[in-house]
Amino acid sequence: MKKIVINGGRPLKGEVTINGAKNSVVALIPAIILADNIVTLDGVPAISDVDSLIEIMEIMGAIVKRSGDCLEVDPRNIKNMPMPSGKINSLRASYYFYGSLLGRFGEATVGLPGGCDLGPRPIDLHLKAFEAMGAHMTMEGNYMKLSTDGKRLAGASIYMDTVSVGATINTMLAAVKAEGRTVIENAAREPEIIDVATLLNNMGAHIRGAGTDIITIEGVDSLHGTRHQVIPDRIEAGTYISLAAAIGQGVQINNVLYEHLESFIAKLEEMGVRMTISEDSIFVEGQKDLKAINIKTSPYPGFATDLQQPITPLLLTAHGHGKIVDTIYEKRVNHVAELAKMAGKISTASNQIVYEGPNQLQGASVKATDLRAGAALVIAGLMAQGRTEITNIEFILRGYSNIIEKLRSLGADIQLIEE
């Protein structure tokens, strides 16, 4: 069993560099299946989700070379094979294999996706899109089989009933080699979608409109190899900015795209957080007399649900009362009970998080219930007086590259212990 142990209350200072976006790379790697030659990704984070995806790709026959943050994948020998369980069940992004395998082979047999338990996250929008393009689905045990019965996928007009990043990307993956034109309406607009579309276009796809609510894809017969730089991880950046505002005495966060964080930065400014924003970095000063605010998550460009939990410990330092409403994932409140164990004045009421501050958190034994909840507990542990032990940290390692080393470089007393 692994756990993180933090002796908190130490002010942090220095610089930290943000890695490539986890929510991009988990789609970019399956997208490589569609290429007929080598694809190289730069800026790949050292996270366990990437390790799992590499293992899956190698099982399928890909030749993978990894050096630092550079990942080279040769997909030419990939075989279409059933993947009902194992690593597939450990990560949510396994559903991207549906789109890429359908696009290349016309069929896919993949186990149901795993990941964090954040409440209902159905894949019906994905299936609706695949069916519109000519695929049909059958359930066989604990896995799903999609097939076109040997035919090529056909372009279609697809309206997303709700805005979905996963369904938008998966539809793009399936459509790039379909026959004819595919139009996705009410598409998600996240930067990670633009990143995936950029890779596919660099491979020879014809995608227009990524980043807007209407994406048009003209199918092509083949896609070639390329080299691609993964965008910076806006959620990792927001996490470290929150941490710097909560416990820092001058922290610079490098490799940040402000344009991807505007709604988040606006909320920090509403609190009174003092920072200097540069072209590709943000310097966060030491803070005092912050003001409590209300937060409501919404699809991009609104306040990201993935930043709701990491900002919560910072909110507990503010003066006054506030609330958080997560409109994306109803169960994204599991960090609240753990923060309450650390003497935080925070609770849930009617599917809202309510808090009061300022608080002096106290070290405690707590458990990470999902990836971003784990990040919130790390920040809380750094803020707290005394010793904090965090268990279930596999969630944290899924999405934060070299987190222990980065925090130590800022002066944190933190260690990962394996028992």
Side-chain angles (χ1 to χ4, degrees), residues 253-264:
I253 297 95
N254 299 317
N255 194 31
V256 177
L257 292 179
Y258 163 76
E259 295 81 3
H260 294 173
L261 287 164
E262 288 187 84
S263 59
F264 173 75

Side-chain angles (χ1 to χ4, degrees), residues 161-294:
D161 295 327
T162 58
V163 176
S164 167
V165 175
T168 299
I169 291 177
N170 231 346
T171 304
M172 289 197 307
L173 294 175
V176 287
K177 297 178 83 170
E179 187 172 7
R181 173 182 293 181
T182 298
V183 179
I184 309 171
E185 296 186 75
N186 199 30
R189 300 162 56 190
E190 273 72 3
E192 294 79 12
I193 291 169
I194 301 174
D195 202 23
V196 175
T198 300
L199 170 70
L200 293 170
N201 282 339
N202 289 342
M203 289 161 56
H206 295 160
I207 302 172
R208 292 181 291 112
T212 76
D213 61 356
I214 300 178
I215 299 175
T216 303
I217 304 151
E218 300 286 351
V220 298
D221 293 331
S222 64
L223 297 173
H224 53 72
T226 191
R227 188 168 197 135
H228 177 78
Q229 176 70 47
V230 183
I231 61 171
D233 193 319
R234 62 193 172 101
I235 308 304
E236 185 190 19
T239 299
Y240 281 98
I241 293 168
S242 297
L243 181 151
I247 192 71
Q249 288 189 348
V251 175
Q252 179 161 307
I253 297 95
N254 299 317
N255 194 31
V256 177
L257 292 179
Y258 163 76
E259 295 81 3
H260 294 173
L261 287 164
E262 288 187 84
S263 59
F264 173 75
I265 296 296
K267 280 297 179 181
L268 294 183
E269 291 174 338
E270 184 182 339
M271 291 183 71
V273 173
R274 299 186 304 276
M275 54 194 148
T276 302
I277 299 171
S278 304
E279 183 177 355
D280 61 356
S281 66
I282 295 178
F283 179 79
V284 183
E285 303 174 22
Q287 310 297 322
K288 61 180 180 179
D289 299 328
L290 297 180
K291 182 178 67 174
I293 59 170
N294 298 326

